[in-house]
Amino acid sequence: MHTSLALLLELGIILLVLSVLGAFARRLSLSPTPLYLLTGLALGEGGIAPIPAAGDFVQTGASIGVVLLLLTLGLEFDASELRDSLRRHLPSAVVDLVLNAAPGAIAGWLLGLDWVGVFALAGATWISSSGIIARLLADLRRLGNRETSAVLSILVIEDFAMALYLPVLAVIASGGTWVEAITGVLIAIVCVAAAFLASHRWGHHVNRWLAHPDSEQLMLRVLGSTLVVAALAEFVDVSAAVGAFLVGLTLTGDAAERTRTVLAPLRDLFAAAFFLSIGFAVSPAGLLPVLPAALALAVAGIATKFATGWLAARRDGAARRGRIRAGTVLIARGEFSVVIVSLAGTASAALGPLVTAYVPILATAGPVLTRWPRRKPRTPEVGGKEPPVSPTSA
């Protein structure tokens, strides 16, 4: 079988560069995510060192990276904990929608976009990046923190909401009827409800089949099942990330611990591809004309997401430092905003470049700002999972 020399060379160089950047970030006790994003910007189309041969591989790996990030995040929780947390944070989700969609809608109106463009820009400023935030929570060892359940609830509700929002946007952006849009929403609601019910009611049967004692079998079964569920979720216009998250919820106890250990190297590899791909989607030369508007919108997005996280963490009884952590970690925007502009980018000549500039700004600023409330890291227990945080330490 003939293998492209350029593909192997470009992938090898990319991995070596990411290794150096990752080691540098770790020495500074930082998440490597911002450096990966900036590397993608440099290597993408119009960057200083484009990599055409490896581009398709990175884009494919990015899709797998989001799935693995949300799968491992789901492994940290069980269905009953999530159900209680989601019920408690529905008011927080309403605040999240109002505060974060409003800047996009107002900006779209001021820029003279049509109503489809306004609707799309509101969605792009509303939705946080589950992929980036999942990686940050792991990198900064906050999965056991008191405020993390509030952050997770916001993310999951946003992802579920995207299952309703994206079909509507796709239909109206293509000139379809409201009947088609409503039909897509109803299908998405039924599928999400059925998947969540199956995870809650019959998850123990799935857990028993996936939890094979052999590590290779465990990896193949969990990864294969997750990709199938993610594909089915995409087929019915539900986020693949939601499907992967539900698979993670079905695995509990020792099976979840072993799965986390077995899949960690794969998750890190494909997560790096995901962060690179966000930068790939940006042409630096096309950003300059819209940069002032994107910066202004980003400042508003930082403020509104911080307020969202602060209020959500307060509902869980987190102390001031925990509320700050929740507010800053929610700032990052990413994959969903890119999907939104790909669906509605033709609605206005200004929409695509604006969102394309807006996403890298917050995808980089979010991981940097979340280092603000610094604290001494806790020593994890054997197996890699952090011990729960006591109320006084939150």
Side-chain angles (χ1 to χ4, degrees), residues 180-368:
E180 294 173 321
I182 293 172
T183 301
V185 168
L186 292 176
I187 292 173
I189 291 174
V190 170
C191 291
V192 169
F196 197 86
L197 179 63
S199 174
H200 178 62
R201 294 281 301 273
W202 301 292
H204 58 286
H205 296 298
V206 178
N207 185 81
R208 188 160 51 244
W209 179 77
L210 292 177
H212 196 279
D214 180 72
S215 295
E216 180 182 0
Q217 282 293 317
L218 176 67
M219 180 190 69
L220 294 175
R221 292 186 182 191
V222 173
L223 183 57
S225 300
T226 302
L227 292 177
V228 168
V229 171
L232 292 175
E234 285 288 333
F235 179 73
V236 296
D237 290 323
V238 178
S239 168
V242 171
F245 184 81
L246 292 174
V247 174
L249 285 179
T250 64
L251 287 166
T252 57
D254 182 63
E257 293 287 349
R258 291 180 56 233
T259 299
R260 194 165 26 247
T261 301
V262 168
L263 291 182
L266 281 177
R267 178 203 62 193
D268 293 342
L269 172 63
F270 287 109
F274 162 64
F275 299 128
L276 283 174
S277 72
I278 294 178
F280 277 17
V282 179
S283 175
L287 301 184
L288 294 179
V290 297
L291 197 55
L295 285 171
L297 200 56
V299 170
I302 290 171
T304 53
K305 277 295 180 183
F306 183 86
T308 298
W310 176 283
L311 294 173
R314 189 174 67 177
R315 291 185 66 86
D316 276 356
R320 179 176 178 273
R321 186 177 293 272
R323 298 176 196 176
I324 294 174
R325 288 193 298 263
T328 53
V329 81
L330 282 171
I331 288 170
R333 296 346 186 249
E335 64 277 11
F336 278 121
S337 298
V338 174
V339 170
I340 288 170
V341 76
S342 70
L343 290 175
T346 59
S348 167
L351 178 62
L354 177 60
V355 176
T356 301
Y358 172 80
V359 168
I361 292 172
L362 289 185
T364 303
V368 172

Side-chain angles (χ1 to χ4, degrees), residues 120-136:
L121 188 55
T125 59
W126 166 32
I127 190 75
S128 296
S129 171
S130 298
I132 294 175
I133 294 169
R135 179 59 186 266
L136 282 174

Side-chain angles (χ1 to χ4, degrees), residues 62-84:
S63 300
I64 300 174
V66 175
V67 167
L68 289 177
L69 283 168
L70 271 293
L71 168 67
T72 53
L73 189 61
L75 292 172
E76 299 291 336
F77 302 88
D78 62 44
S80 60
E81 289 176 342
L82 180 65
R83 185 185 64 249
D84 295 340

Side-chain angles (χ1 to χ4, degrees), residues 145-163:
N145 285 16
R146 173 177 287 247
E147 76 277 359
T148 298
S149 64
V151 171
L152 178 65
S153 298
I154 295 295
L155 292 180
V156 172
I157 293 173
E158 284 185 351
D159 285 355
F160 283 163
M162 282 293 104

